[in-house]
Amino acid sequence: MITDILELGEQTKLRGQVVVLGSGIAGAELATHLARNGREVVLIESGRDRFDPSIQALNDVVFLGKRHRELDPDSYYHRYLPPELRGVSRLRQFGGTSNVWTGKWKYLQPLDFEGRAWVENSGWPIRFDDLLEHYRSAAKDYGFGDLEAEAIRPEITALRSKLAANGLKMSSFYWEQTPTRTAIRFGDEMRRSKNLHVILGATATELKLDDACQRVTAVHCRSLEGRELTVEGDIVILATGAFEAARLLLASDRQIPGGIGNQHELVGRFYTDHPKHHTGTLQPGSLARQYAHELQYAPKPRFCICFALDDATQQEHRLLEHVLYLKPIYEKPMERVWRTLQGRPACRDGNGAIASYRVKFVTEQVPHTQSRIQLGTEYDALGQRKLEVNWCFTQHDERSLEKTLHLLTQRFAEAGLGTFDFGDEPPSLENMTDAAHQMGTTRMACRPEEGVVDINCRVFGTENLYVASSAVFPTGPSYSPTFTILALARRLGQHILQTTPITTQICV
Ligand SMILES: Cc1cc2nc3c(=O)[nH]c(=O)nc-3n(C[C@H](O)[C@H](O)[C@H](O)COP(=O)(O)OP(=O)(O)OC[C@H]3O[C@@H](n4cnc5c(N)ncnc54)[C@H](O)[C@@H]3O)c2cc1C
């Protein structure tokens, strides 16, 4: 059942066995999965069916360090979106940020989970194998192509070994034709469900603890229209995105000064994103011409590939993972004439002859304590403290980016992939923007001294509070976090099913 908070009384109390906050990919997946399996679930969502700028404004932050891209109808980014949403990094609407995302699904690689001695604070306390069954089942249920089969397709294997000979590696991702929108994917099921109650227009503002300060007993919610709602539950899951999960923990500081899970002052720290830049072009060489079909971007759905320096090179030069994407730009008639006159061979894929490839450069950053979000001194329309965002980098980030560019330029030419032209604007941390991939603000760790949640995504110091979000990523070397957010949500769903009794009918 889906209800707007305005359909409830001025002050209402509800109860669910599990309370999920947020209806993006993480929250919608978890709430429907638990409800299907006989748990009584209440899902609280700040947004409504339609985009509402006054609700979106609850996401406003104050930037202290590098700024994010911002809402801008003239933005280069996301021309497929209505002007009022172009440049948005996260969305307060039913279905969350999935309403605007582009639908690229990528596994993290096994090595991404392992600590790299040369990257401070790298490594996860779980392994790739802990997520594999969840990646696989999600890919099957959501109808993606088989990424594992794609990885061993003969053309891909051959290209990979040619790249490996030149110190390069590649990985594939699946690009949906119509990106999954959770409000569409799960909307009908939510409306029909007897044991899932979704409340729209309700913003969680505080988590209430028991006297021992170990269990969350209730979530206080408010609406911009002045309605109040209290939801009690046995388990509470924050699926509000990496910024809002940390914000709610910090804002719930009435019973524990500093906020919940913040005994070591780690909530909001280690904030990372994937700085990215669309810059420059690649003139295709012989290898790009040979494998142009593998480099194709359209029509979707399809598998696409991206490139990086190989692991041995990253280790040798103490580099981070910087990933390069190539988007074909097709020849115009005059360019074709010019190429023919010059006697240059055509580079052709299934869509036509390619003039050049547009380059997108996406980088990992070192997780460190100074890159952080914290509660500021300004207030939003609900009287909640706004977040201050200090997104900043280390010297290691800068050195790594510079060295990687140098080596990639050299190796792309040697491998026959082509030659870059970055013009006056080579990628640098100054000219890069965020990729709307907020990560790390409640990082996963084995011990509370090192992170905010344990390996089951439970907030340290609590018995029943969990985070389902890229907030828990200790590092995010690989671009495209959402497949891992989904896999983690599924893993958390499995954990909760094992630890809570069935109370209603199972409708799997
Ligand atoms: C334009 C764009 C393109 C992208 N493309 C890709 C891509 O191709 N591949 C990829 O992997 N990733 C991509 N991303 C990132 C991806 O969209 C996010 O990683 C993903 O959607 C996050 O899902 P989530 O469920 O964790 O959070 P969200 O989808 O942000 O959901 C959080 C929900 O919580 C609600 N909420 C917040 N605070 C409260 C509160 N206090 N009370 C109640 N509700 C609250 C919000 O309204 C929202 O509905 C893209 C992002 C953008 C902006």
Side-chain angles (χ1 to χ4, degrees):
M1 160 168 62
I2 301 184
T3 309
D4 194 289
I5 192 169
L6 294 177
E7 298 167 49
L8 305 176
E10 295 290 328
Q11 288 186 331
T12 307
K13 207 174 237 190
L14 292 175
R15 193 185 146 72
Q17 202 178 1
V18 182
V19 183
V20 178
L21 309 182
S23 66
I25 282 177
E29 169 68 31
L30 262 163
T32 49
H33 180 67
L34 295 173
R36 256 179 252 138
N37 284 282
R39 276 46 173 198
E40 279 183 87
V41 183
V42 176
L43 187 154
I44 300 298
E45 168 55 52
S46 183
R48 295 194 160 106
D49 279 325
R50 288 181 176 280
F51 176 70
D52 177 342
S54 56
I55 296 182
Q56 178 67 16
L58 297 173
N59 270 354
D60 286 352
V61 298
V62 176
F63 290 105
L64 302 181
K66 185 172 172 61
R67 299 181 74 81
H68 286 183
R69 63 192 191 203
E70 285 166 83
L71 283 172
D72 171 8
D74 301 321
S75 167
Y76 166 82
Y77 295 106
H78 315 129
R79 307 302 292 177
Y80 62 93
L81 291 174
E84 69 274 17
L85 289 178
R86 288 182 194 151
V88 75
S89 289
R90 53 204 178 95
L91 203 62
R92 288 243 186 172
Q93 189 180 336
F94 178 42
T97 312
S98 80
N99 287 294
V100 296
W101 81 315
T102 36
K104 297 186 211 91
W105 298 90
K106 190 171 187 301
Y107 286 18
L108 287 185
Q109 307 298 301
L111 264 180
D112 296 340
F113 290 82
E114 289 168 24
R116 287 161 288 167
W118 64 98
V119 180
E120 208 184 339
N121 301 313
S122 65
W124 289 56
I126 58 172
R127 294 163 306 137
F128 175 76
D129 284 350
D130 294 318
L131 285 189
L132 187 54
E133 66 171 292
H134 306 289
Y135 278 132
R136 283 180 176 153
S137 70
K140 191 158 164 273
D141 293 350
Y142 282 64
F144 309 154
D146 185 341
L147 269 155
E148 289 169 273
E150 171 66 9
I152 52 168
R153 188 160 62 84
E155 290 81 0
I156 293 292
T157 314
L159 176 56
R160 185 179 300 112
S161 66
K162 290 184 182 173
L163 294 173
N166 288 280
L168 296 168
K169 68 176 182 180
M170 53 175 266
S171 49
S172 301
F173 59 95
Y174 181 77
W175 201 343
E176 290 181 295
Q177 181 179 20
T178 310
T180 296
R181 311 275 184 232
T182 59
I184 295 173
R185 181 177 169 87
F186 296 107
D188 279 347
E189 180 179 351
M190 288 175 171
R191 265 172 221 105
R192 283 195 316 266
S193 176
K194 293 206 168 33
N195 39 342
L196 169 59
H197 192 176
V198 178
I199 316 284
L200 300 182
T203 299
T205 52
E206 191 179 353
L207 306 172
K208 172 98 176 64
L209 295 164
D210 65 1
D211 291 341
C213 290
Q214 280 173 352
R215 292 186 71 79
V216 176
T217 52
V219 181
H220 290 307
C221 310
R222 300 179 45 211
S223 82
L224 286 175
E225 300 81 8
R227 298 290 167 103
E228 291 186 17
L229 169 69
T230 302
V231 190
E232 293 174 348
D234 301 330
I235 287 178
V236 175
I237 302 171
L238 308 183
T240 45
F243 276 14
E244 301 306 319
R247 184 183 183 189
L248 200 51
L249 291 176
L250 293 169
S252 304
D253 60 356
R254 246 192 269 241
Q255 292 162 281
I256 305 183
I260 299 175
N262 200 24
Q263 53 275 42
H264 296 283
E265 294 191 16
L266 293 178
V267 175
R269 292 193 187 266
F270 298 102
Y271 160 49
T272 62
D273 204 302
H274 289 127
K276 75 165 182 182
H277 197 14
H278 296 252
T279 182
T281 55
L282 179 90
Q283 270 306 321
S286 56
L287 192 65
R289 286 198 293 276
Q290 190 183 347
Y291 287 94
H293 283 83
E294 271 46 71
L295 302 182
Q296 213 168 301
Y297 258 36
K300 299 180 194 79
R302 70 183 312 106
F303 293 104
C304 300
I305 52 183
C306 51
F307 304 88
L309 293 170
D310 68 8
D311 298 329
T313 307
Q314 291 186 25
Q315 180 165 9
E316 181 192 344
H317 296 279
R318 306 173 68 80
L319 302 175
L320 301 158
E321 179 112 329
H322 304 268
V323 183
L324 203 139
Y325 293 73
L326 298 175
K327 179 183 178 192
I329 302 173
Y330 294 96
E331 271 182 355
K332 299 194 177 77
M334 277 314 289
E335 288 169 330
R336 184 172 313 127
V337 173
W338 182 234
R339 174 178 52 76
T340 315
L341 285 175
Q342 288 183 317
R344 278 190 287 122
C347 175
R348 269 182 211 291
D349 68 13
N351 296 320
I354 293 150
S356 60
Y357 287 92
R358 182 111 169 100
V359 177
K360 182 167 86 176
F361 206 68
V362 183
T363 92
E364 176 193 13
Q365 68 172 114
V366 177
H368 67 116
T369 54
Q370 296 312 304
S371 186
R372 69 182 293 199
I373 58 174
Q374 61 196 342
L375 294 179
T377 50
E378 293 186 24
Y379 290 82
D380 69 14
L382 291 174
Q384 296 294 110
R385 280 169 288 174
K386 288 186 185 178
L387 283 174
E388 290 177 346
V389 179
N390 188 9
W391 185 31
C392 59
F393 303 91
T394 61
Q395 284 183 346
H396 190 175
D397 294 302
E398 282 174 34
R399 186 190 61 76
S400 176
L401 178 53
E402 205 176 305
K403 182 73 184 173
T404 301
L405 264 180
H406 173 73
L407 289 173
L408 278 178
T409 304
Q410 214 173 46
R411 292 183 185 185
F412 261 56
E414 285 163 7
L417 273 173
T419 47
F420 292 112
D421 179 1
F422 290 122
D424 299 333
E425 215 190 345
S428 72
L429 288 171
E430 283 78 54
N431 60 22
M432 290 175 139
T433 63
D434 67 297
H437 297 167
Q438 307 87 22
M439 297 171 285
T441 52
T442 65
R443 74 188 331 237
M444 186 193 283
C446 291
R447 304 182 314 127
E449 292 79 11
E450 291 166 359
V452 178
V453 301
D454 70 11
I455 58 168
N456 289 316
C457 298
R458 186 176 51 87
V459 175
F460 284 120
T462 72
E463 289 170 6
N464 65 341
L465 178 62
Y466 294 86
V467 178
S469 160
S470 47
V472 307
F473 289 18
T475 52
S478 193
Y479 189 56
S480 300
T482 309
F483 204 174
T484 305
I485 296 175
L486 180 60
L488 279 167
R490 288 189 155 221
R491 182 169 171 270
L492 176 56
Q494 193 180 62
H495 173 73
I496 288 174
L497 289 182
Q498 282 160 2
T499 50
T500 54
I502 299 171
T503 52
T504 61
Q505 198 189 354
I506 298 183
C507 27
V508 195

